[in-house]
Amino acid sequence: METLEGMKRTHHCGELRKSDVGTEAVVCGWVSKRRDHGGLIFVDLRDRSGIVQTVYDEAAMSEGTFHKAESLRSEFVIAVRGKVRSRTEDTINPKIETGEIEIVCEELRILNKAKTPPFYIQDGIDVDEMLRLKYRFLDLRRPEMQKNIMLRHRVAKLMRDYFDRHGFLEIETPMLCKSTPEGARDFLVPSRLNPGEFYALPQSPQIYKQLLMVSGFEKYFQIVRCFRDEDLRADRQPEFTQLDIEMSFVDQEDILVLMENMVSEIFDKAINEKIKTPFLRMTWDDAMDRFGSDKPDMRFGMELMDISEYVKGSTFKVFNSVLESGGQVKCIKVDGYADIPRRELDGLVEYVQGYGAKGMAWVQYTEDGIKSPFKKFYSDETFDKIKEATGAKTGDLLLVVADKRLVVAQALGALRLEMGRRRGLIDPNKLCFLWVVDFPMFEYSEEEKRWKAMHHPFTSPRHEDIPYLKSDPGRVKSIAYDMVLNGVEIGGGSLRIYNSDLQEKVFEAVGLSPEVARERFGFMMNAFQYGTPPHGGIAFGLDRLIMLMAKRASIRDVIAFPKTQSASDVMAQAPSTVDEKQLRELYVRVALPKKKEKNKEE
């Protein structure tokens, strides 16, 4: 193999332009494509800046150099020295930035050869994602993947610059923390120096950033890695990155305005998208009632509509029993879809059942009249009233769900998104931001038979709701807020509790006894005794934000080395077993499930 000695790179591949014609350039990179025209070879050379065409003319170079050019294959790493010249009019390539020029090779060095890759190193490949993840080092060579990672860098840089201008300090918080199992499951790390004891990897720097406010730093931020041992999906990873922010002596409005301006600046400078401020604001109750979601996609309408008053008091037992037990009958209107095939309606029934609904009914306003499974239980006048109330026209379809409030919201909210996708109502180029505010402080866990904090137990309740913490937790609203973009929560935060007495009351409301609360959060409760300022903050999911900015369907496409759906790294083959010696040093013994033990013996 040859080296770069005495041949220093002068330009990146994608930098050269017509203004460089006549100059000598040295470029390095990977062979993207080779075309042999018999005595004339063209090689597209690629690095992270782009592609440039290099030319090898048998008549104008030494025989040895031309033979080297003939040996080039995809992904060989080479260095080329030559003169930049203009392409002829009929050979200009408008698809690449360097399309008006090419480099006529005078010296070629093959720095490293390459095996044939398992997939093409180009954009838009149709390859199983597991193969891409196994060869992630090759997948990341593809231009679209490199653009995603470079976008991530630019956004992080813009964030740091923005907060620096506004007087924030970037302060690191510990990666090895105390386990506080109130929320998602912790990743645990055994301590060799403290046998039988464990650290937890942070789910967020929540407690530490509040302690930094107690310490008087006033404005903190951090772009930080966080860890949650939970089931994965397209927008979730066991390790993820968030922009973490905390401020003292502020109210909700201060935080919302500062974050709107940050997001507006980032979108403008990173991807040249102008974002209008202020963002729309909507209460949690309004979002759930109108869109069936606390992160509604506002790029299209199709709001949920309550038709309970029109269907009550009939002989139709399904609706009556729901309404008598305090439930709702709501629907969405799908314009021009009354001709939906029956098999698709049956499929939609199964679809909503996946979101907790017992079933789904419908009303088709067709040219031939009304079609509905509950038509025989109601008069034509009732259907006319429903038609008027929902704004339906002949040719429209109503999809109806009857159940408890949250079940109706969840099922119809999901159905709304599905209909939006099927009917082509969602503009992929539209950006709709909003704030969802006034979240419930608690949600009831049927499984655990207790109230749990909807965000986290350090969220401040509204002052006027504090009296109901013990008597009626479900009535209490919090001073919490989520930023939503196109149906995805990209950031969430709250004003925090800064009074130890109030903090103890909230712990009590979520079933934490004073003893357990002290054991888990004693150091924080102790800090609150020494003068704690009013404070609040927010955290943004950096991976999700970049995913939306890059218009990708999965956060795995904007993370350099992500995990799979089963939380494994198929490239590095992690997680893996470790030596017994390491386990003994940590005082850890592995007790595998019986099925795994049997498989291991086999």
Side-chain angles (χ1 to χ4, degrees):
M1 288 297 118
E2 298 172 284
T3 71
L4 268 176
E5 186 176 352
M7 193 175 177
K8 191 172 180 64
R9 179 165 66 176
T10 61
H11 298 80
H12 285 87
C13 295
E15 292 177 344
L16 293 163
R17 297 292 185 271
K18 201 163 186 177
S19 58
D20 297 301
V21 168
T23 63
E24 183 176 87
V26 176
V27 291
C28 305
W30 287 262
V31 173
S32 180
K33 189 182 294 184
R34 173 182 166 275
R35 301 176 298 283
D36 193 335
H37 289 213
L40 198 61
I41 295 173
F42 297 92
V43 172
D44 289 345
L45 191 61
R46 182 192 70 246
D47 65 14
R48 80 178 197 195
S49 67
I51 287 177
V52 66
Q53 179 171 279
T54 60
V55 184
Y56 308 82
D57 186 346
E58 185 176 18
M61 60 175 50
S62 69
E63 185 178 349
T65 302
F66 190 76
H67 282 327
K68 272 201 287 187
E70 287 182 310
S71 74
L72 295 179
R73 297 292 181 268
S74 291
E75 301 311 305
F76 277 29
V77 182
I78 65 173
V80 179
R81 181 178 60 80
K83 284 279 175 63
V84 180
R85 75 179 182 191
S86 294
R87 295 203 203 185
T88 59
E89 263 326 297
D90 59 328
T91 60
I92 289 174
N93 183 358
K95 295 180 180 179
I96 58 175
E97 295 290 330
T98 61
E100 290 185 298
I101 60 94
E102 59 192 11
I103 300 174
V104 181
C105 175
E106 295 174 0
E107 183 179 0
L108 168 65
R109 294 188 189 180
I110 299 177
L111 304 175
N112 223 324
K113 295 182 178 180
K115 293 167 63 176
T116 302
F119 47 79
Y120 291 112
I121 310 299
Q122 63 187 37
D123 292 345
I125 58 174
D126 183 16
V127 174
D128 181 75
E129 188 183 35
M130 290 298 286
L131 185 64
R132 287 175 52 205
L133 291 175
K134 182 178 179 180
Y135 293 94
R136 189 62 164 187
F137 48 88
L138 294 178
D139 192 38
L140 287 172
R141 283 188 199 170
R142 299 190 303 110
E144 62 184 353
M145 293 299 292
Q146 295 200 335
K147 286 175 185 174
N148 292 343
I149 302 303
M150 288 189 278
L151 172 63
R152 187 183 180 110
H153 161 77
R154 287 198 302 276
V155 169
K157 173 71 165 57
L158 289 167
M159 286 175 170
R160 286 190 165 98
D161 290 345
Y162 179 85
F163 287 108
D164 182 63
R165 288 201 319 270
H166 285 83
F168 284 75
L169 301 175
E170 184 167 15
I171 305 174
E172 293 179 343
T173 52
M175 283 289 109
L176 298 175
C177 310
K178 181 182 177 65
S179 178
T180 55
E182 177 64 32
R185 191 181 293 108
D186 287 329
F187 278 103
L188 299 177
V189 180
S191 172
R192 180 182 61 82
L193 299 176
N194 301 277
E197 297 183 352
F198 294 81
Y199 300 104
L201 299 180
Q203 295 186 29
S204 84
Q206 183 63 47
I207 293 176
Y208 287 103
K209 68 181 182 180
Q210 289 192 249
L211 291 175
L212 287 170
M213 298 303 101
V214 179
S215 301
F217 285 101
E218 294 200 13
K219 290 183 175 182
Y220 143 94
F221 86 100
Q222 186 180 189
I223 297 177
V224 60
R225 299 291 276 178
C226 302
F227 307 85
R228 292 180 186 174
D229 187 7
E230 56 188 353
D231 295 334
L232 308 185
R233 57 186 185 222
D235 61 349
R236 185 176 285 173
Q237 285 276 296
E239 52 181 323
F240 57 96
T241 305
Q242 70 181 38
L243 168 66
D244 205 46
I245 301 147
E246 200 76 9
M247 294 174 273
S248 294
F249 306 111
V250 293
D251 59 20
Q252 176 175 289
E253 188 66 18
D254 295 326
I255 297 171
L256 268 53
V257 169
L258 188 72
M259 295 306 107
E260 287 178 357
N261 291 336
M262 178 204 71
V263 167
S264 178
E265 181 172 311
I266 286 169
F267 272 74
D268 182 16
K269 293 183 177 180
I271 60 173
N272 198 29
E273 287 278 2
K274 307 295 181 186
I275 306 297
K276 290 183 180 179
T277 58
F279 296 167
L280 175 69
R281 298 184 190 181
M282 185 181 300
T283 66
W284 182 88
D285 283 321
D286 209 15
M288 296 299 289
D289 287 339
R290 292 172 57 191
F291 299 98
S293 172
D294 58 6
K295 46 182 184 295
D297 191 334
M298 303 296 289
R299 289 175 292 178
F300 69 108
M302 204 183 291
E303 296 188 20
L304 281 58
M305 295 173 283
D306 196 330
I307 58 171
S308 300
E309 66 175 283
Y310 305 107
V311 298
K312 65 184 179 182
S314 75
T315 56
F316 189 42
K317 293 180 180 179
V318 174
F319 287 171
N320 279 345
S321 62
V322 165
L323 294 173
E324 286 169 5
S325 62
Q328 299 175 325
V329 181
K330 299 183 82 168
C331 69
I332 55 173
K333 175 171 68 75
V334 189
D335 294 341
Y337 207 29
D339 59 350
I340 181 174
R342 177 57 191 260
R343 66 179 181 279
E344 288 191 28
L345 284 170
D346 291 340
L348 293 179
V349 173
E350 292 182 20
Y351 184 83
V352 298
Q353 287 173 340
Y355 289 90
K358 297 179 183 67
M360 184 197 76
W362 58 86
V363 181
Q364 297 164 278
Y365 289 101
T366 72
E367 294 286 352
D368 299 325
I370 297 164
K371 296 180 181 179
S372 174
F374 57 88
K375 186 176 186 299
K376 64 182 178 181
F377 298 100
Y378 297 94
S379 65
D380 289 346
E381 183 183 359
T382 297
F383 282 99
D384 288 341
K385 287 180 180 178
I386 293 172
K387 186 176 183 181
E388 183 180 354
T390 59
K393 306 180 297 296
T394 300
D396 292 346
L397 169 71
L398 301 182
L399 299 174
V400 185
V401 173
D403 217 304
K404 297 175 184 176
R405 180 196 179 197
L406 289 182
V407 173
V408 169
Q410 188 170 320
L412 275 183
L415 192 58
R416 171 183 176 265
L417 291 174
E418 178 64 17
M419 289 296 101
R421 286 188 286 266
R422 288 193 190 185
R423 304 297 287 169
L425 303 178
I426 304 175
D427 183 351
N429 297 313
K430 196 172 182 180
L431 296 170
C432 286
F433 289 88
L434 82 151
W435 288 105
V436 177
V437 299
D438 295 344
F439 279 77
M441 183 78 179
F442 308 105
E443 54 188 344
Y444 192 73
S445 169
E446 292 289 349
E447 184 181 347
E448 299 181 37
K449 302 299 180 187
R450 69 177 181 96
W451 291 98
K452 301 179 74 172
M454 182 169 274
H455 278 72
H456 53 67
F458 313 112
T459 299
S460 177
R462 292 191 307 195
H463 181 74
E464 62 269 29
D465 292 341
I466 292 175
Y468 305 109
L469 281 171
K470 191 169 185 178
S471 61
D472 191 2
R475 178 175 176 173
V476 180
K477 299 290 186 187
S478 64
I479 309 175
Y481 33 82
D482 280 359
M483 185 185 288
V484 178
L485 169 59
N486 293 354
V488 177
E489 177 206 331
I490 58 172
S494 65
L495 295 190
R496 321 299 190 190
I497 297 167
Y498 59 95
N499 175 279
S500 57
D501 290 339
L502 178 56
Q503 186 65 75
E504 287 178 356
K505 289 179 181 177
V506 171
F507 284 150
E508 184 182 353
V510 296
L512 291 181
S513 67
E515 295 75 26
V516 172
R518 286 281 168 190
E519 195 237 321
R520 292 184 184 176
F521 308 109
F523 63 102
M524 185 179 186
M525 305 290 283
N526 184 48
F528 279 12
Q529 304 291 324
Y530 291 88
T532 303
H535 59 283
I538 190 169
F540 284 83
L542 185 64
D543 310 301
R544 289 185 186 180
L545 181 61
I546 303 299
M547 175 187 76
L548 293 170
M549 295 178 77
K551 296 181 180 178
R552 309 297 294 194
S554 167
I555 60 172
R556 290 190 288 273
D557 283 345
V558 298
I559 298 171
F561 299 103
K563 304 293 189 292
T564 66
Q565 202 82 3
S566 60
S568 63
D569 181 339
V570 293
M571 180 189 69
Q573 296 187 335
S576 63
T577 58
V578 297
D579 293 338
E580 279 293 328
K581 180 175 180 292
Q582 287 179 274
L583 293 176
R584 285 196 300 271
E585 287 174 345
L586 295 168
Y587 305 96
V588 170
R589 180 179 295 163
V590 176
L592 293 172
K594 288 184 178 179
K595 186 177 179 181
K596 288 192 175 181
E597 284 179 347
K598 184 179 179 183
N599 291 341
K600 193 174 181 183
E601 289 169 6
E602 291 171 356

